[in-house]
Amino acid sequence: MTENKARVVVVTGGSRGIGRAICQTMASADTQIFFNYFSPADREGEEAAAAETIKQVEHAGGTATGFWANVADQAEVSAFVDQVMEAAGRIDVWVNNAGITRDGLLARMKASEWDAVLDINLKGPFLCTQMVARIMAGQRSGRIINMASVVGVMGNIGQSNYVAAKAGLIGLTKTVAREYAARGITVNAVAPGFIDTDMTKVLPEKVKEKMIASVPLGRMGSPEDVAGVVAFLASDAAGYMTGQVLHVSGGMYM
């Protein structure tokens, strides 16, 4: 284990979209960024995406290291955390951002589609939080930030698995915030709305138009819109906030 004075930030799902934007936004000369990436269906493509994240963080004046790890696998999460601790010696900020979708109406949804989404989007944050909270408790400080979703409070047709996972993540956020407040750890969530990422790019144009029409600000959000709020929650300015859900949805939820 190395002695480290730089702030250590870990982002799950940091190779693309919001995760990459968080890594880039939080990059600085006195911050070490670590992230995981995982996509068994396209390992080569995911490794290329991870390399791009590292390149962008370095361009922003920081350093980043990526690890291949499945957040739904306890052994892989443990190995990932151990690698970060070996390299940096501490963890100051942990962002549970990794997520997937397997959309479909409830009547047609397969149990495998339910399990896949709940595993990555809810079991993953549970496993990561359980492990990192022990480390932060020993430090008597730390910030845990969970990526929820506006649909976790509103519901959404065709996303019962995703909505259930994000609603559960909000509940997990509030409970862990209460359990670890006395140890100097804050736990908050960010709830993005309709954000321009790979997940939304595949939607038909008519669906996008309908969704944008439901946003009072009249546009999709950018990954950077979300990353800025995450950076705020990780900053000293948010030191008296815990158990909160900050909506970044252009007014979709008020």
Side-chain angles (χ1 to χ4, degrees):
M1 185 181 296
T2 60
E3 185 67 26
N4 182 58
K5 294 184 179 179
R7 183 170 69 156
V8 179
V9 176
V10 184
V11 182
T12 69
S15 61
R16 302 173 186 273
I18 292 172
R20 177 185 288 171
I22 294 169
C23 291
Q24 187 175 14
T25 298
M26 300 190 72
S28 70
D30 60 354
T31 300
Q32 286 183 276
I33 305 287
F34 297 88
F35 65 94
N36 88 299
Y37 57 100
F38 184 73
S39 180
D42 183 20
R43 178 152 187 164
E44 184 177 345
E46 200 65 18
E47 288 180 342
E52 181 60 26
T53 293
I54 292 170
K55 179 181 177 181
Q56 291 192 18
V57 168
E58 290 176 347
H59 183 72
T63 61
T65 305
F67 297 97
W68 179 269
N70 178 4
V71 296
D73 185 297
Q74 189 169 18
E76 293 193 29
V77 171
S78 181
F80 175 40
V81 172
D82 286 347
Q83 287 171 312
V84 173
M85 290 298 291
E86 182 64 29
R90 63 181 294 113
I91 297 173
D92 299 295
V93 180
W94 185 284
V95 184
N96 284 310
N97 168 76
I100 64 169
T101 57
R102 297 289 186 272
D103 295 348
L105 294 173
L106 178 67
R108 302 191 188 107
M109 185 171 289
K110 298 175 182 177
S112 60
E113 294 170 331
W114 175 274
D115 289 344
V117 170
L118 269 290
D119 275 355
I120 296 295
N121 296 19
L122 187 56
K123 181 183 177 183
F126 157 70
L127 292 174
C128 291
T129 299
Q130 188 179 56
M131 293 184 191
V132 76
R134 294 170 185 159
I135 294 167
M136 291 179 173
Q139 298 170 177
R140 305 292 296 186
S141 68
R143 303 291 173 87
I144 298 172
I145 302 164
N146 294 322
M147 197 59 59
S149 171
V150 66
V151 301
V153 295
M154 293 176 60
N156 196 35
I157 293 171
Q159 287 195 308
S160 59
N161 49 6
Y162 187 79
V163 170
K166 295 302 185 180
L169 187 56
I170 289 172
L172 179 67
T173 298
K174 293 177 179 292
T175 298
V176 179
R178 289 185 180 275
E179 290 184 357
Y180 282 90
R183 298 298 185 95
I185 302 169
T186 66
V187 188
N188 293 288
V190 178
F194 190 33
I195 308 299
D196 187 11
T197 65
D198 290 346
M199 281 187 182
T200 56
K201 280 183 171 64
V202 300
L203 296 173
E205 285 302 317
K206 287 186 177 180
V207 173
K208 291 182 183 180
E209 290 171 6
K210 184 177 180 180
M211 293 183 74
I212 290 173
S214 71
V215 180
L217 286 183
R219 67 172 178 88
M220 296 174 68
S222 70
E224 289 72 24
D225 289 327
V226 180
V229 176
V230 172
F232 163 70
L233 288 173
S235 73
D236 291 341
Y240 197 55
M241 294 177 62
T242 196
Q244 302 305 303
V245 182
L246 300 189
H247 288 264
V248 186
S249 63
M252 285 179 68
Y253 178 80
M254 296 186 182

